[in-house]
Amino acid sequence: MSDDCIFCRIGRGDISTAFVAESERLVAFRDVDPQAPLHVLVIPRDHVDSLASAGDESLLGELLGMAARIARDEGYADGGYRVVVNTGSDGGQSVPHLHLHLLAGRHLSWPPG
Ligand code: 5GP
Ligand code: ZN
């Protein structure tokens, strides 16, 4: 947990944020700068720097499971969606608290930039 980590603060409820979904260990909320009609971030409440330092594989399973449930609940299971975990500098990670991006609602090209 970190006082100055923005996602820790969101996870603790210090910053008023509507949760799309939540569980004991996770919260999901809409990205402030959405890159698709659905753009949700799924994070652990407790601080983890990135996927590279995530040691708890059951937590990683919960994160993926919540992303899939949100996609289904929002109606994107059939049309498809993308889950992205930017990791570290070359991976384009800008917030150093592990998060999954769930993107849906438009055709997403490949490869990413
Ligand atoms: P990254 O670049 O680390 O993979 O993704 C960080 C994401 O967090 C970006 O898409 C950015 O728009 C989003 N973001 C950064 N600060 C905030 C915030 O305070 N609230 C919300 N809802 N999203 C944020
Ligand atoms: Zn944090």
Side-chain angles (χ1 to χ4, degrees):
M1 191 182 293
S2 160
D3 282 344
D4 54 7
C5 172
I6 185 80
F7 286 180
C8 281
R9 296 176 68 201
I10 289 173
R12 283 201 301 270
D14 288 355
I15 299 173
S16 170
T17 304
F19 293 149
V20 176
E22 60 181 311
S23 67
E24 189 181 339
R25 296 212 285 174
L26 313 181
V27 298
F29 53 92
R30 295 185 195 279
D31 196 291
V32 72
D33 181 21
Q35 302 301 310
L38 179 75
H39 188 172
V40 168
L41 302 173
V42 186
I43 69 166
R45 292 180 192 267
D46 288 347
H47 186 87
V48 177
D49 286 338
S50 76
L51 185 59
S53 59
D56 183 344
E57 294 191 359
S58 73
L59 180 70
L60 297 177
E62 285 181 36
L63 286 160
L64 265 183
M66 180 173 279
R69 273 197 307 283
I70 294 167
R72 186 195 61 214
D73 292 349
E74 299 269 340
Y76 293 106
D78 290 340
Y81 55 88
R82 186 171 294 171
V83 175
V84 174
V85 188
N86 295 327
T87 305
S89 175
D90 279 356
Q93 183 177 5
S94 63
V95 176
H97 178 128
L98 174 63
H99 51 282
L100 275 59
H101 294 261
L102 168 62
L103 298 147
R106 67 174 174 86
H107 183 76
L108 298 162
S109 60
W110 190 265

